[in-house]
C-alpha cells in the first residue's frame, strides 16, 4: 500500500511524505525535500565568476579565471555529494530494527541500522531554537540496562517537517512498536 | 514474534533438499547455512552435522525443507518432504518453497513442541532475509564484540543479534569445505559448492613466508641486540642518540620490521591488519625514499646543494648581524640602555663570528657528507626527512644558543624582579609553606633591595627585547622542524592497507548492515535483502591507526604562553638536557 502527501517544513518549504506499507509489520516513510533549483545555481555561479572577472581586471593574471572555474566545479560537486540531501527514509521492521537512509543529490546513500534490542521508544521532542520546533527521535537503550536511555538519535534532520507530518509518522511507528512489545513479552 | 529466516542468495537456485543451519531462539531466527540435496541417507547427514558441530562449535542442525519446483507441482514430493519432518525433528520446522519462474516464495514454520497440549501444530509468520554468504564470511564487524569466554570457542549467549549472525557464518567455515566435486556421501549446496576459492600467489606466499620470516627475524634480532647493547649507554653516544630524531626513527622502523617478520601468527584480525599496515607503510616509505635518492643523485644535484649550502649559511649569519646592529641602535624607536645593549650585542656578534668560521672550516667536506647522507634515503623517506630535520637543527644551532642565553637572562631578571617586588611590599616567599608571608626587613636590606629593584626594572626593556627577538627566531625554526616531524608521523601512522581494503573490498570492514525490501506480493512473506554497510573512512583511520613514535608537543597553548612569559626554556619534542655553553 503506497500513498503520498504534501506537507511543509519549518522554513515554509514543501516536503512530500511517501508512505509504503509492505506488510503489517514493515513500513517505510520517505521524506523528499525540494531539489537543487536552477535559479540559485545560476545566481551563485554568476556571482563567483563576476568576482573572479573583477579580480582579473585588477591583476591581469588569467590564472584567476581558470581557478574560479575550477573552484565552481569542485564546489558544486562537493555540495551535491556531501551536503544536499534529497530524500530521507525511515524503514521500520517489527522484531528486526529501524533503518534510516539519507540519499544525497549525487546519488550517494548513507544508511544507519539500529537493532530492535537497542530501541527503547520513538518520540516527538520539542526544541527551542528562535521558536519552538518539533523533531522526531529514537531513544536508544543499552541491552544490559533496559531502564536507562543511552542515546537520542534525531530523524529527518535535513527535511525538518512540521508537527502534522511528524504525528503521522509517530502514530505508525507506535503501532509497530506496541505490536513488537506485545509479541516479545510472550515468547 | 515473527520468525526470521536468513537465507543465502547462492542457494536460491539450488535443487530441493534439506535446510541445514543454526537456530537462534533468543531472536527467533534461523540462519540457514547450506542445502543438502537428494538422495541422501539420514544417518550420513546426522554424522556430517555432528562432525561439523565438533569442529566449529556451532550448533548446526537440520532446520527444515527446501522445495524448488521445476515442473508441475508434485503431490508425492510434498508428502515426502513432510515425512522428513519426522526423521529430523526440529522445533520449529521450516518449509520454504519456490516455484520455478516466479520470484515469490511461500514459507511455513510449524511448532510441534508447544502445541502438544493443543493437539494441532501452530504456525508462525516467516520473514525471509537474503544474505551474501561469501561477503558475510569474509567481513569483520566493527566494533568487534569481545566476549569473555570467546577465546575458548564455546557458544556464548548472543551479544547483539547481528554480531551473532556474522559469528555463526564465520565459524561454520568447515561446513563449506566440501564442494560438488568431492566424492562424499552427502551433497551440499553453499557459496563454495562450485569449487573452493584460492589464489596461487597467496598460497605460494604462505608457503614461502615461513623460512623467509625465520631468516629475517633472526637478522633483525641480531640488529636489535646490537643496538640495545651497553655500548650505546655510554656518554657521549647516549647523548647524541637522545638528541637526533634520526636514531629515534630508525629504532621505530626496526621495531616495526621485527613485528612484521616475527614468526608467531596473528591471533585476531586486528593484529593481522596491523602487520599488513606496517608492511605497506614500510614498502611505501622505501619506494618514496628510492625515488628521492634517484632524483638527488641525478644531474649532480648533490654538488649543487653543497655549493649552495655555505652561501646560504653565510647569508643567514649576515642577516643575524644586521639584526643585532639594529638592536644595538634604537630599534623601532625604542630607547635602550646603551651599556647593556653594547655588551649583549657584542657578545652575540662574537658568537656569530665563531659560527661562520666553523662553517667555513667544514665547507670542503660538505659535499662528501651530503653524498653519504643522501644514500641513507634508501632506508626510507622518513629517515631522509628525519636527517633533514637534524641538519636544520645543527645549522641553526647558534640561534638555539642565543635563545638559551636570552631566555636565561630574562628568566633571572623576572625572578629577581618578583622577589624584590615582594621585598618592596614587606613580604617574603616561604619555601616551607609554599606561600607568601610577611617579613620584617632591616633597613640596609631594604636599601639594597630597592636599589637592585630599580636597576633591574630599568634594564628590563633591553633584555626583554633581545629575548623576544631570539624567541621568535627559535619558534620559527621549531615550526619548520615541527612540520617535517608531522610529515614523518603521517607516513608512519597512516593505515594504508586498511584504506586500500576499504576502497577495493568494502565488505571486509563492516560497520553494520542495511536492509532493502524486495518486490512484494500481498499474502506472500516479506522478503528483505541484507547487505553490508561498510565502515566510513574516518572510522577506518581512527581504528587502525598505527602508534606513532610519540613526538607530540607536551604542553597546551596556555602553559606555552606562561612559559614564554616567565622565560622558562621550551623543549618542544622530548626532554632535552640543558645545553650549557
Amino acid at each position: 500500500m503506497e500513498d503520498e502527501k504534501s506537507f511543509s517544513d519549518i522554513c515554509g518549504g514543501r516536503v512530500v511524505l511517501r508512505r509504503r506499507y509492505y506488510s503489517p509489520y514493515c513500513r517505510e516513510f520517505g521524506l523528499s525535500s525540494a531539489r537543487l533549483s536552477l535559479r540559485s545555481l545560476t545566481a551563485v555561479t554568476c556571482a563567483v565568476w563576476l568576482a573572479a572577472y573583477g579580480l582579473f581586471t585588477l591583476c591581469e593574471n588569467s590564472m584567476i579565471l581558470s581557478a574560479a572555474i575550477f573552484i565552481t566545479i569542485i564546489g558544486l560537486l562537493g555540495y551535491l555529494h556531501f551536503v544536499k540531501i534529497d530524500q530521507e527514509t525511515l524503514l521500520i521492521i517489527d522484531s528486526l530494527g529501524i533503518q534510516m537512509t539519507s540519499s544525497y543529490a549525487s546519488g550517494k546513500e548513507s544508511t544507519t541500522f539500529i537493532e530492535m534490542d537497542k530501541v527503547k521508544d520513538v518520540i516527538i521532542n520539542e526544541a527551542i531554537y528562535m521558536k519552538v520546533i518539533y523533531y522526531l527521535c529514537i531513544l536508544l537503550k543499552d541491552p544490559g540496562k533496559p531502564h536507562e536511555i543511552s542515546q537520542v538519535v534525531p530523524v529527518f534532520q535535513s527535511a525538518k517537517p512540521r508537527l502534522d507530518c511528524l504525528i503521522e509518522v509517530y502514530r505508525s511507528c507506535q503501532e509497530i512498536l506496541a505490536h513488537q512489545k506485545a509479541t516479545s513479552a510472550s515468547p | 514474534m515473527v520468525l526470521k529466516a536468513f537465507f543465502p542468495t547462492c542457494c536460491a537456485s539450488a535443487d530441493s533438499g534439506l535446510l541445514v543451519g543454526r537456530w537462534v531462539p533468543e531472536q527467533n531466527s534461523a540462519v540457514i547455512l547450506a542445502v543438502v540435496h537428494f538422495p541422501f541417507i539420514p544417518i550420513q547427514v546426522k554424522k556430517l552435522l555432528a562432525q561439523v558441530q565438533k569442529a566449529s562449535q556451532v550448533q548446526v542442525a537440520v532446520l527444515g525443507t527446501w522445495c524448488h519446483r521445476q515442473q508441475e507441482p508434485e503431490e508425492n514430493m510434498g508428502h515426502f518432504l513432510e515425512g522428513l519432518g519426522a526423521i529430523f525433528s526440529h522445533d520449529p520446522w521450516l518449509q520454504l518453497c519456490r516455484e520455478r519462474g516466479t520470484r515469490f516464495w511461500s514459507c511455513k514454520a510449524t511448532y510441534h513442541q508447544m502445541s502438544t497440549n493443543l493437539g494441532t501444530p501452530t504456525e508462525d509468520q516467516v520473514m525471509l532475509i537474503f544474505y551474501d554468504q561469501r561477503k558475510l564470511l569474509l567481513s569483520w564487524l566493527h566494533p568487534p564484540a569481545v566476549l569473555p569466554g570467546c577465546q575458548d570457542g564455546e557458544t556464548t549467549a548472543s551479544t547483539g543479534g547481528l554480531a551473532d549472525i556474522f559469528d555463526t557464518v564465520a565459524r561454520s567455515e568447515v561446513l563449506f569445505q566440501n564442494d560438488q566435486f568431492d566424492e562424499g556421501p552427502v551433497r551440499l549446496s553453499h557459496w563454495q559448492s562450485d569449487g573452493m576459492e584460492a589464489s596461487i600467489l597467496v598460497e605460494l606466499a604462505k608457503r614461502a613466508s615461513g623460512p623467509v620470516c625465520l631468516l629475517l627475524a633472526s637478522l633483525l634480532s641480531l640488529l636489535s641486540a646490537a643496538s640495545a647493547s651497553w655500548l650505546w649507554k655510554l656518554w657521549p653516544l647516549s647523548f647524541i642518540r637522545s638528541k637526533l630524531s634520526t636514531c629515534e626513527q630508525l629504532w621505530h622502523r626496526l621495531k616495526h620490521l621485527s613485528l612484521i617478520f616475527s614468526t608467531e601468527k596473528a591471533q585476531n584480525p586486528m593484529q593481522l591488519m596491523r602487520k599488513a599496515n606496517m608492511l605497506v607503510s614500510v614498502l611505501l616509505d622505501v619506494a618514496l625514499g628510492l625515488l628521492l635518492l634517484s632524483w638527488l643523485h641525478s644531474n649532480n644535484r648533490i654538488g649543487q646543494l653543497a655549493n649552495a649550502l655555505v652561501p646560504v649559511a653565510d647569508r643567514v649569519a649576515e642577516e643575524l648581524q644586521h639584526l643585532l646592529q639594529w638592536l644595538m641602535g634604537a630599534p623601532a624607536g625604542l630607547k635602550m640602555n646603551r651599556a647593556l645593549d653594547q655588551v649583549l650585542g657584542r657578545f652575540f656578534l662574537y658568537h656569530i663570528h665563531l659560527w661562520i668560521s666553523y662553517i667555513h672550516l667544514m665547507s670542503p667536506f660538505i659535499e662528501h657528507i651530503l653524498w653519504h647522507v643522501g644514500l641513507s634515503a634508501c632506508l626510507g623517506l622518513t629517515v631522509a626527512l628525519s636527517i633533514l630535520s637534524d641538519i636544520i637543527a645543527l645549522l641553526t644551532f647558534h640561534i638555539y644558543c642565543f635563545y638559551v642565553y636570552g631566555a636565561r637572562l630574562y628568566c633571572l631578571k623576572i625572578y629577581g624582579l618578583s622577589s624584590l617586588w615582594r621585598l618592596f611590599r614587606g613580604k617574603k616567599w616561604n619555601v616551607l609553606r609554599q606561600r607568601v608571608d610577611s617579613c620584617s626587613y632591616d633597613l640596609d636590606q631594604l636599601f639594597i633591595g630597592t636599589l637592585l629593584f630599580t636597576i633591574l626594572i630599568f634594564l628590563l626593556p633591553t633584555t626583554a627585547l633581545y629575548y623576544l627577538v631570539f624567541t621568535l627566531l627559535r619558534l620559527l625554526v621549531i615550526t619548520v622542524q615541527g612540520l617535517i616531524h608531522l610529515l614523518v608521523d603521517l607516513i608512519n601512522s597512516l593505515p594504508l592497507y586498511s584504506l586500500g581494503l576499504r576502497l577495493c573490498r568494502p565488505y571486509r570492514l563492516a560497520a553494520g548492515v542495511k536492509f532493502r525490501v524486495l518486490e512484494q506480493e500481498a499474502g506472500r512473506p516479506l522478503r528483505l535483502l541484507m547487505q553490508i554497510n561498510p565502515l566510513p573512512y574516518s572510522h577506518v583511520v581512527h581504528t587502525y591507526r598505527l602508534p606513532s613514535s610519540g613526538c607530540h608537543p607536551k604542553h597546551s597553548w596556555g602553559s606555552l604562553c606562561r612559559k614564554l612569559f616567565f622565560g622558562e626554556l621550551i623543549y618542544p619534542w622530548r626532554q632535552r638536557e640543558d645545553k650549557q655553553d
Side-chain angles (χ1 to χ4, degrees):
Chain A
M1 189 248 301
E2 191 174 331
D3 71 354
E4 269 190 35
K5 234 167 134 178
S6 182
F7 291 94
S8 64
D9 68 8
I10 56 177
C11 306
R14 188 172 156 266
V15 291
V16 176
L17 175 71
R18 206 196 59 203
R19 283 184 294 196
R20 291 178 78 155
Y21 288 11
Y22 291 112
S23 95
Y25 46 85
C26 175
R27 294 180 192 178
E28 188 183 51
F29 305 97
L31 262 182
S32 359
S33 34
R35 301 210 176 230
L36 185 66
S37 76
L38 197 59
R39 203 182 294 176
S40 62
L41 182 63
T42 326
V44 171
T45 314
C46 286
V48 171
W49 284 2
L50 275 172
Y53 195 70
L55 266 176
F56 170 68
T57 46
L58 276 172
C59 304
E60 303 291 334
N61 189 359
S62 65
M63 282 287 278
I64 295 181
L65 294 175
S66 2
I69 294 176
F70 195 61
I71 289 173
T72 316
I73 293 180
I74 297 286
L76 181 68
L77 286 175
Y79 178 70
L80 290 178
H81 195 73
F82 293 111
V83 178
K84 179 89 183 72
I85 296 183
D86 260 352
Q87 193 186 30
E88 284 176 302
T89 317
L90 183 76
L91 175 69
I92 177 163
I93 308 170
D94 186 16
S95 81
L96 201 58
I98 304 183
Q99 172 170 289
M100 293 165 303
T101 315
S102 308
S103 359
Y104 291 82
S106 64
K108 168 174 114 164
E109 283 192 5
S110 118
T111 321
T112 325
F113 178 73
I114 305 172
E115 297 172 50
M116 215 34 127
D117 292 346
K118 296 208 177 78
V119 172
K120 192 165 154 67
D121 205 358
V122 172
I123 61 168
I124 297 183
N125 209 2
E126 62 178 8
I128 302 188
Y129 179 73
M130 311 292 264
K131 53 188 175 193
V132 178
I133 56 172
Y134 297 92
Y135 61 97
L136 191 75
C137 55
I138 307 176
L139 298 178
L140 300 185
K141 66 173 191 243
D142 202 3
K145 298 182 227 170
H147 298 293
E148 285 176 21
I149 299 172
S150 70
Q151 216 184 336
V152 174
V153 178
V155 180
F156 299 140
Q157 278 195 294
S158 148
K160 300 197 197 72
R162 287 210 174 140
L163 191 60
D164 44 4
C165 175
L166 291 177
I167 287 180
E168 304 254 357
V169 179
Y170 173 76
R171 284 217 184 100
S172 281
C173 289
Q174 285 297 332
E175 274 171 31
I176 295 194
L177 285 178
H179 178 252
Q180 194 259 331
K181 283 199 175 71
T183 49
S184 73
S186 56
Chain B
M1 250 203 306
V2 174
L3 192 141
K4 302 181 279 259
F6 289 87
F7 197 80
T9 45
C10 47
C11 297
S13 52
D15 292 332
S16 315
L18 284 178
L19 295 169
V20 160
R22 180 182 168 210
W23 168 249
V24 185
E26 296 91 18
Q27 294 140 50
N28 215 26
S29 53
V31 183
I32 296 161
L33 295 168
V35 174
V36 176
H37 294 296
F38 306 119
F40 58 82
I41 308 171
I43 306 284
Q44 303 274 11
V45 173
K46 288 189 182 169
K47 207 165 80 171
L48 174 74
L49 290 179
Q51 274 176 355
V52 169
Q53 205 164 333
K54 201 166 101 174
S56 67
Q57 311 290 336
V58 174
Q59 287 175 337
V60 281
V62 176
L63 295 174
T65 57
W66 159 243
C67 178
H68 191 190
R69 292 185 188 154
Q70 311 282 355
Q71 303 102 0
E72 298 304 311
E74 306 154 352
E75 288 307 318
N76 39 357
M77 182 65 116
H79 288 306
F80 174 59
L81 288 175
E82 286 189 17
L84 283 173
I87 308 175
F88 301 101
S89 59
H90 188 265
D91 195 43
W93 184 250
L94 271 176
Q95 285 166 295
L96 301 175
C97 185
R98 179 189 179 186
E99 259 126 86
R100 183 181 167 79
T102 67
R103 263 173 298 161
F104 302 113
W105 301 32
S106 66
C107 312
K108 212 164 60 164
T110 33
Y111 288 86
H112 290 279
Q113 205 165 9
M114 252 172 43
S115 61
T116 42
N117 324 346
L118 304 168
T120 49
T122 51
E123 291 194 358
D124 207 1
Q125 280 197 313
V126 181
M127 183 161 61
L128 271 175
I129 303 175
F130 295 104
Y131 69 97
D132 190 326
Q133 219 167 34
R134 175 173 169 267
K135 291 195 176 163
L136 214 72
L137 186 77
L138 292 173
S139 76
W140 303 319
L141 195 59
H142 297 79
V146 179
L147 303 166
C150 198
Q151 273 78 12
D152 309 16
E154 355 159 317
T155 49
T156 50
S158 61
T159 48
L162 291 163
D164 221 24
I165 314 274
F166 275 74
D167 198 41
T168 307
V169 177
R171 285 199 286 174
S172 321
E173 219 174 317
V174 66
L175 185 63
F176 307 133
Q177 304 281 350
N178 312 322
D179 56 26
Q180 65 183 3
F181 305 108
D182 278 343
E183 300 293 330
V186 178
R187 197 164 63 101
L188 287 172
S189 211
H190 47 75
W191 71 277
Q192 268 192 334
S193 53
D194 284 336
M196 270 190 67
E197 283 192 3
S199 153
I200 291 183
L201 292 172
V202 169
E203 295 297 318
L204 281 175
K206 278 192 195 160
R207 297 252 186 268
S209 68
V212 165
C213 277
L214 214 60
L215 180 68
L216 284 170
S218 49
L219 276 174
L220 286 169
S221 63
L222 225 76
L223 256 175
S224 352
S227 67
S229 76
W230 58 274
L231 272 174
W232 288 96
K233 305 247 185 323
L234 297 175
W235 204 93
L237 282 175
S238 70
F239 178 75
I240 295 175
R241 190 176 153 168
S242 68
K243 295 299 168 205
L244 293 177
S245 58
T246 316
C247 298
E248 176 90 23
Q249 177 64 21
L250 282 171
W251 178 243
H252 194 62
R253 275 292 182 232
L254 192 67
K255 269 198 311 202
H256 277 187
L257 282 173
S258 18
L259 189 66
I260 296 173
F261 292 117
S262 73
T263 43
E264 35 178 83
K265 277 178 87 67
Q267 307 289 1
N268 52 21
M270 256 321 246
Q271 281 189 0
L272 188 69
M273 289 290 270
R274 180 172 280 205
K275 272 193 178 185
N277 281 326
M278 278 184 193
L279 183 66
V280 173
S281 162
V282 167
L283 286 174
L284 182 76
D285 203 12
V286 171
L288 286 174
L290 287 172
L291 216 71
L292 182 70
L293 193 70
S294 65
W295 179 82
L296 267 181
H297 283 252
S298 67
N299 288 355
N300 194 22
R301 288 229 171 76
I302 297 263
Q304 286 172 4
L305 213 70
N307 289 343
L309 204 66
V310 174
V312 161
D314 268 346
R315 181 82 199 283
V316 167
E318 220 178 278
E319 292 297 323
L320 268 179
Q321 276 175 333
H322 285 185
L323 184 72
L324 283 167
Q325 298 285 5
W326 180 69
L327 281 175
M328 274 162 66
L334 293 168
K335 192 161 187 311
M336 313 286 275
N337 182 296
R338 206 110 187 74
L340 184 63
D341 217 357
Q342 297 285 327
V343 163
L344 286 175
R346 289 223 183 96
F347 176 62
F348 289 136
L349 277 173
Y350 180 62
H351 223 104
I352 293 179
H353 173 78
L354 277 178
W355 185 250
I356 291 293
S357 329
Y358 166 67
I359 294 272
H360 280 274
L361 209 69
M362 287 267 293
S363 57
F365 307 111
I366 285 192
E367 184 168 346
H368 284 284
I369 294 176
L370 273 180
W371 197 88
H372 287 288
V373 156
L375 277 184
S376 72
C378 69
L379 287 171
L381 184 69
T382 46
V383 177
L385 284 173
S386 312
I387 290 185
L388 179 70
S389 159
D390 286 335
I391 288 179
I392 290 178
L394 282 175
L395 284 181
T396 56
F397 183 65
H398 48 330
I399 295 180
Y400 177 64
C401 286
F402 291 170
Y403 163 70
V404 171
Y405 300 150
R408 280 283 183 245
L409 215 59
Y410 179 76
C411 178
L412 229 68
K413 186 158 281 214
I414 289 288
Y415 277 119
L417 273 174
S418 58
S419 163
L420 289 172
W421 172 246
R422 276 181 233 123
L423 177 133
F424 230 36
R425 289 153 49 219
K427 298 208 190 288
K428 197 176 92 155
W429 173 255
N430 192 338
V431 185
L432 210 62
R433 297 280 184 96
Q434 293 287 310
R435 65 171 188 205
V436 179
D437 277 339
S438 61
C439 167
S440 60
Y441 289 99
D442 297 336
L443 194 62
D444 39 0
Q445 281 177 328
L446 277 176
F447 180 63
I448 294 182
T450 316
L451 211 62
L452 284 172
F453 181 77
T454 340
I455 293 174
L456 283 178
I457 207 157
F458 285 135
L459 292 178
L460 186 64
T462 316
T463 330
L465 195 70
Y466 273 91
Y467 172 65
L468 185 74
V469 168
F470 292 131
T471 311
L472 285 174
L473 282 174
R474 174 80 184 134
L475 284 176
L476 187 70
V477 172
I478 286 181
T479 316
V480 171
Q481 276 194 293
L483 285 171
I484 295 179
H485 278 255
L486 215 69
L487 191 61
V488 168
D489 211 18
L490 189 75
I491 300 180
N492 268 343
S493 65
L494 201 64
L496 286 163
Y497 178 72
S498 306
L499 285 173
L501 203 65
R502 167 66 183 86
L503 196 66
C504 306
R505 305 255 184 277
Y507 57 83
R508 293 281 292 263
L509 304 168
V513 293
K514 52 188 179 194
F515 291 92
R516 192 157 64 93
V517 183
L518 297 173
E519 230 181 282
Q520 192 44 17
E521 201 188 58
R524 299 284 192 170
L526 183 67
R527 295 183 313 143
L528 300 167
L529 178 66
M530 182 167 88
Q531 290 165 313
I532 298 199
N533 202 12
L535 207 56
Y537 286 101
S538 51
H539 284 229
V540 173
V541 172
H542 185 70
T543 319
Y544 290 109
R545 208 185 149 81
L546 295 169
S548 58
S549 49
C551 44
H552 294 296
K554 289 193 175 48
H555 12 250
S556 64
W557 289 108
S559 71
L560 185 73
C561 289
R562 195 181 150 276
K563 282 196 173 184
L564 282 177
F565 184 70
F566 284 114
E568 288 165 26
L569 290 174
I570 337 170
Y571 301 118
W573 317 120
R574 299 175 290 282
Q575 286 304 316
R576 289 172 186 261
E577 289 147 292
D578 191 15
K579 284 206 196 279
Q580 298 292 345
D581 226 351

